[in-house]
Amino acid sequence: MNIFIAQNYGYFMITGSFKDLNLSLLLHTMFIKNNSLKSIFEYFAELLKNNYSEREIQLIAKSFIAKRLEVGASELMTDAGRRVSESDILYFKKVTRQMRQGLPFQYALGETYFYNISLRSDARALIPRPETEELVNWVVEDNRGSNNLEIIDIGTGTGCIALSLKKALKGANITGIDRSIEALSLARENASDLNLEVDFKECDILNFEKYTLPDNLDIIVSNPPYIPHSEKSEMHENVLDHEPGMALFTDNDTPLIFYERIVDFGMKHLKKDGVIYFEINENRGDDLKSLLNKKGCKDIQLRKDLQDKDRMIKCTI
């Protein structure tokens, strides 16, 4: 089992799963020797020591303890003798067990931090990734200071892109669409929590002609499904077991179908010289550039993420 932690993004992805037949026995025989915070940290360290580094475990434990006790991370290090309740103890045991069984950190915690906002996170939608934050930052960099932008986020999921842009680009009018009713319910909850006004609508972009959607758009931004089913074997079990497949996978024969249909949508709904920003499969940059050229798109820019992979592309209609 591996863990990926990008602290600057507040992002944790726990990968893999345990199939130890003695797991249940182990968890029941492990105990927290007293109710102090120091003992809670030791409990996390003991259960996870074979799987994560000491630093990773500290970050994980701090996140759960800070949320449960509603305190800042700095307080946790200066009040190690603080006692917690029995119900708190049961909570820490439960979430540790869930993570050992493969549940992603964000789902176990119930929240994640993305760009400039905190979001609820559960199995209704994909966990926002760091590269998607980079996509949002590209949009913000290009449009900071612009007024009254009309933006649509296609495949909104948690609402992470739409809500981050709403907070960062003052005065922008933003719509988020998704074909998943469950994802839309989560996005609306996040909008309510953040007191941000985004219009979330149900829409299957593959059949966008059937829906009433905004016209005269300045920007389309999208992180659509882009993983062919044939690549499932390369993915971690906890993603396959817990995150919604409809937001991840495309048919093997038409891996770029969502990009093609979004460009078709853009041709009809964007203003002249409107812009599309995409997150992309790192292996499909050249294929997507060819598609955009064939569609007549202009000013095509392929951008690498912080891992030096082709993960974003921008074009003008």
Side-chain angles (χ1 to χ4, degrees), residues 87 109 203 226 273 307:
S87 62
L109 188 65
C203 174
Y226 55 65
D273 295 326
Q307 307 301 315

Side-chain angles (χ1 to χ4, degrees), residues 104-117:
F105 171 85
Q106 295 91 333
Y107 288 172
L109 188 65
E111 62 185 39
T112 190
Y113 190 80
F114 179 88
Y115 199 66
N116 54 6
I117 54 177

Side-chain angles (χ1 to χ4, degrees), residues 153-181:
D153 168 28
I154 298 176
T156 196
T158 60
C160 61
I161 292 175
L163 293 167
S164 293
L165 291 176
K166 183 66 177 180
K167 185 171 181 180
L169 299 174
K170 305 302 181 185
N173 185 34
I174 300 179
T175 301
I177 65 171
D178 205 292
R179 55 182 173 165
S180 167
I181 298 299

Side-chain angles (χ1 to χ4, degrees), residues 64-165:
F64 281 107
I65 296 170
K67 179 183 179 181
R68 178 69 180 186
L69 303 183
E70 298 182 338
V71 297
S74 60
E75 295 178 60
L76 300 180
M77 305 311 295
T78 59
D79 194 15
R82 174 175 171 173
R83 299 299 178 112
V84 301
S85 70
E86 290 298 324
S87 62
D88 293 330
I89 296 292
L90 291 174
Y91 168 77
F92 297 131
K93 288 185 175 182
K94 180 188 76 172
V95 297
T96 306
R97 180 175 67 252
Q98 289 174 331
M99 285 187 295
R100 289 185 63 112
Q101 293 173 337
L103 187 69
F105 171 85
Q106 295 91 333
Y107 288 172
L109 188 65
E111 62 185 39
T112 190
Y113 190 80
F114 179 88
Y115 199 66
N116 54 6
I117 54 177
S118 180
L119 297 165
R120 299 189 193 195
S121 181
D122 61 40
R124 287 176 286 177
L126 288 183
I127 298 164
R129 266 60 171 186
E131 51 269 25
T132 309
E133 290 183 299
E134 295 184 55
L135 179 69
V136 169
N137 195 58
W138 194 3
V139 179
V140 172
E141 285 178 346
D142 284 354
N143 296 280
R144 199 186 306 273
S146 299
N147 296 317
N148 303 315
L149 291 170
E150 295 286 336
I151 302 173
I152 192 166
D153 168 28
I154 298 176
T156 196
T158 60
C160 61
I161 292 175
L163 293 167
S164 293
L165 291 176

Side-chain angles (χ1 to χ4, degrees), residues 208-241:
F208 68 84
E209 297 91 347
K210 297 180 180 180
Y211 301 85
T212 301
L213 296 169
D215 285 312
N216 297 314
L217 294 164
D218 295 288
I219 294 170
I220 295 171
V221 58
S222 182
N223 175 21
Y226 55 65
I227 303 171
H229 286 284
S230 60
E231 295 181 11
K232 274 187 177 182
S233 61
E234 301 173 21
M235 300 182 66
H236 295 294
E237 288 183 11
N238 68 318
V239 175
L240 296 174
D241 291 345

